[in-house]
Amino acid sequence: MDAIAPPAGSPVTQTPAEVVERQLAAYNAHDLEAFAGCYAEETRIDYPDGSVIQGRDAVREAYAAQFAEGRCRAEIAGRLTEGGWVVDHEVAHGLAEEPVRLLVAYRVTDGLIDRVRFLR
């Protein structure tokens, strides 16, 4: 299996943590299509400032410039899982002068991320 995405047509079922890990690998590789492919068509991402991204196409659009610049990278300082939820303590690099520490809660349904909440 590829490190970023399962093979096309593969019957492989991934745990929620594996889906989130695949998304992280795509983020760190700046692979926009693999990254967007981890999200459900009707996904919703809520940011601490109250802004919202709704839908896979909006995710792709929101991250395109950041990936093109190749300046982003995230590492996991800790992870909790419960049912379909994965909560990561992330350290994001390349978004500001200093690394940004935050909690990110991902909900995985039917093998895709359908809800994300960034917490600071």
Side-chain angles (χ1 to χ4, degrees), residues 16-56:
E18 290 169 332
V19 172
V20 172
E21 191 64 31
R22 183 166 44 98
Q23 177 258 179
L24 176 68
Y27 180 86
N28 285 339
H30 309 123
D31 185 336
L32 185 60
E33 291 309 312
F35 180 77
C38 295
Y39 288 86
E41 193 64 43
E42 298 301 320
T43 198
R44 177 185 169 108
I45 301 176
D46 293 285
Y47 292 94
D49 67 1
S51 63
V52 174
I53 294 176
Q54 191 90 37
R56 182 185 298 145

Side-chain angles (χ1 to χ4, degrees), residues 6-7 12-14 21 43 50 53 66:
V12 174
T13 301
Q14 294 187 311
E21 191 64 31
T43 198
I53 294 176
Q66 184 177 329

Side-chain angles (χ1 to χ4, degrees), residues 2-5 14-29 34-35 38 74-79 81 86 88 90 106 108 113:
D2 187 291
I4 293 178
Q14 294 187 311
T15 67
E18 290 169 332
V19 172
V20 172
E21 191 64 31
R22 183 166 44 98
Q23 177 258 179
L24 176 68
Y27 180 86
N28 285 339
F35 180 77
C38 295
E75 60 188 83
I76 305 304
R79 174 173 284 166
T81 62
V86 177
D88 282 348
E90 295 186 9
Y106 301 91
V108 177
I113 299 166

Side-chain angles (χ1 to χ4, degrees), residues 78-115:
R79 174 173 284 166
L80 297 171
T81 62
E82 182 63 42
W85 285 94
V86 177
V87 180
D88 282 348
H89 178 196
E90 295 186 9
V91 181
H93 301 271
L95 304 179
E97 290 282 324
E98 296 294 321
V100 177
R101 300 179 74 83
L102 62 152
L103 296 177
V104 186
Y106 301 91
R107 184 177 70 188
V108 177
T109 304
D110 297 328
L112 295 170
I113 299 166
D114 67 351
R115 184 69 193 252

Side-chain angles (χ1 to χ4, degrees), residues 65-77:
Q66 184 177 329
F67 280 27
E69 293 174 9
R71 61 183 169 90
C72 57
R73 180 176 60 81
E75 60 188 83
I76 305 304

